[in-house]
Amino acid sequence: MADADPWLVVGLGNPGPEYARNRHNVGFMVADLLAERMGGRFKAHKARAQVVEGRCGAPGPSGRRVVVAKPLSFMNLSGGPTTALRDFYKVPVGNIVAIHDELDIDYGALRLKLGGGDNGHNGLKSITKSLGAEYHRVRFGIGRPPGRMQVADFVLKDFSSAERRELDYFVDRAADAVETLIVDGLERAQSTYNS
């Protein structure tokens, strides 16, 4: 992968205001913050996604070219828009980062990795089916559902009031982790942010 190759950062979530603050939409929240940091506004793209193009890292032309995207398909169809964006921007699969909610990690904890399984996550399942598994993941912990609550109900609920008190901090940290991954590489990002 050449430094000149662009990066594609895909925040996973469901489109529409009724899903905006759901646990399942934490990928969108991180994407929104990254776009804000790059000084861009999301624009509709023919790949059924909203995108912001910008740079990450050092100011000026030495910064890495980055496309931040929010697929407008539903979560379980994320692979289509991700593949179309990869083709349009000519992004190597190893320069793709999916940001997603993760049940098996405590709330707010992060894990970064390259490749691996989908752990039952329908967004990852769709992307892996389209692209193969060798893309980066930024896994944002949301914890397990309480009691007997179904997983599907849990992920489509908004964060609790206690969780919301720390949510901005954790989203900020996840955005920092994505930037570190792009600028300094996976190892540095893992040693700094994997908790």
Side-chain angles (χ1 to χ4, degrees), residues 14 16-26 28-30 32 154-160 163-164 167-168 171:
N14 287 311
E18 67 273 32
Y19 299 106
R21 303 304 289 168
N22 287 180
R23 290 181 178 92
H24 222 19
N25 271 41
V26 76
F28 274 18
M29 296 172 201
V30 177
D32 286 338
F154 179 69
V155 298
L156 293 175
K157 281 205 175 342
D158 288 359
F159 286 100
S160 70
E163 288 169 333
R164 281 198 301 271
L167 183 59
D168 287 346
V171 167

Side-chain angles (χ1 to χ4, degrees), residues 4-62:
D5 286 330
W7 283 76
L8 173 60
V9 177
V10 182
L12 298 185
N14 287 311
E18 67 273 32
Y19 299 106
R21 303 304 289 168
N22 287 180
R23 290 181 178 92
H24 222 19
N25 271 41
V26 76
F28 274 18
M29 296 172 201
V30 177
D32 286 338
L33 180 56
L34 287 165
E36 193 181 303
R37 288 180 179 185
M38 292 187 330
R41 283 195 191 303
F42 280 101
K43 294 180 177 68
H45 191 279
K46 64 182 181 183
R48 290 185 335 218
Q50 291 184 315
V51 301
V52 171
E53 297 177 50
R55 292 198 176 267
C56 180
S62 61

Side-chain angles (χ1 to χ4, degrees), residues 65-143:
R65 282 176 51 220
V66 179
V67 178
V68 176
K70 297 192 295 187
L72 294 175
S73 60
F74 280 86
M75 174 73 84
N76 56 357
L77 299 172
S78 301
T82 303
T83 303
L85 290 168
R86 178 209 57 186
D87 294 347
F88 182 85
Y89 290 104
K90 298 180 176 41
V91 179
V93 173
N95 276 19
I96 295 175
V97 182
I99 309 165
H100 64 92
D101 57 305
E102 179 63 64
L103 289 160
D104 288 335
I105 302 174
D106 290 340
Y107 173 61
L110 294 175
R111 297 264 199 306
L112 287 83
K113 70 177 193 167
L114 175 63
D118 57 53
N119 208 17
H121 192 288
N122 289 330
L124 294 181
K125 205 174 282 184
S126 176
I127 293 173
T128 298
K129 191 174 169 192
S130 297
L131 295 176
E134 290 307 302
Y135 56 92
H136 290 89
R137 298 100 193 275
V138 174
R139 303 157 70 206
F140 187 112
I142 60 169

